[in-house]
Amino acid sequence: MKLTKYTHACVRLEKDNRVLVVDPGNFSETAEALNGADAVLVTHEHADHIDVGPVLEALGSNAALAIFAPEGVADTLRTKAPEAVARVNAVQPGTAFEAAGFAIRSFGGQHALIHPQIPVVANIGYLIDENVYHPGDSFVIPDGISVKTLLVPLHAPWSKSAEVVDFVVGVRAPRAFQIHDGLLNENGLKIVEGHVARIGAKYGTEYTHLAARESVEI
């Protein structure tokens, strides 16, 4: 399949003329990522992972588009787009389904803790075609599987570099690319990626930086 990274947490996957988009948020080139999409996976409700306006526009303009998201996100979209209720699907952790011809398995359940005074929201990590794992805003390691391609949340208000590295070491995927890097400047990116690449390599993970809009075959 072809993987295209957009700014921050959004990725677009293409296979057999079908398109699956994960986390088209407001830091990303959302309209571009959603163009021609058959399905969208949303990990959680935060705006940097779902830009509700463009997603609703895509639902309205593409009668075949299906959305898969945690219950709260699904309820919001159904309320705002009642004509698309049948195409908005609530996802629970520990389930399997198909989206746009891709086999999906869900993991996790909750967003990583930012602060005790900030409510924890639902978060779903998605394993796509037994290959790509997008954890959303969490470091939940999927159980009982071997991830081939790991998308690594490099930086967030809820994480520190040691946790990022430990996540990569724990998953031990053969290859990894960055997501959730929209809050880092060039200096910060260089430091965090250096740790991930150096230590990850000791455990068999080849880490590669992808620029926004860059694509790779996986």
Side-chain angles (χ1 to χ4, degrees):
M1 74 181 82
K2 177 182 176 181
L3 181 151
T4 302
K5 185 200 183 304
Y6 289 94
T7 300
H8 202 53
C10 180
V11 297
R12 175 182 169 111
L13 300 168
E14 300 174 57
K15 181 188 73 171
D16 299 332
N17 297 314
R18 306 292 299 279
V19 176
L20 176 68
V21 176
V22 187
D23 278 4
N26 62 0
F27 293 167
S28 306
E29 299 79 10
T30 305
E32 180 180 331
L34 291 172
N35 184 35
D38 297 287
V40 174
L41 305 180
V42 179
T43 62
H44 65 284
E45 65 188 51
H46 292 159
D48 57 328
H49 292 258
I50 177 169
D51 194 352
V52 173
V55 169
L56 290 173
E57 290 178 12
L59 271 174
S61 63
N62 181 357
L65 180 65
I67 308 291
F68 299 84
E71 187 73 52
V73 178
D75 285 346
T76 297
L77 295 176
R78 289 167 181 159
T79 299
K80 293 179 179 293
E83 73 284 355
V85 164
R87 294 184 282 125
V88 179
N89 306 275
V91 179
Q92 299 294 329
T95 59
F97 57 94
E98 183 176 294
F102 294 81
I104 313 297
R105 294 172 65 183
S106 61
F107 295 88
Q110 72 177 38
H111 191 287
L113 180 67
I114 301 172
H115 187 273
Q117 296 191 38
I118 299 176
V120 174
V121 302
N123 181 91
I124 302 291
Y126 297 104
L127 177 70
I128 302 161
D129 271 358
E130 300 294 316
N131 183 345
V132 180
Y133 182 55
H134 191 308
D137 278 8
S138 81
F139 289 135
V140 171
I141 296 176
D143 55 285
I145 59 137
S146 295
V147 174
K148 298 176 183 176
T149 306
L150 178 63
L151 301 178
V152 185
L154 276 190
H155 174 266
W158 46 268
S159 72
K160 60 182 181 180
S161 295
E163 295 170 331
V164 176
V165 172
D166 284 347
F167 178 61
V168 174
V169 170
V171 176
R172 300 197 184 192
R175 59 181 169 249
F177 306 103
Q178 93 284 4
I179 55 171
H180 221 280
D181 53 342
L183 300 180
L184 286 174
N185 63 20
E186 185 177 346
N187 292 329
L189 188 64
K190 183 177 180 180
I191 290 171
V192 178
E193 288 191 316
H195 294 320
V196 170
R198 184 181 69 259
I199 300 174
K202 294 181 179 181
Y203 296 88
T205 299
E206 181 181 359
Y207 174 83
T208 304
H209 174 85
L210 293 179
R213 296 188 172 97
E214 185 175 357
S215 300
V216 291
E217 293 291 335
I218 55 173

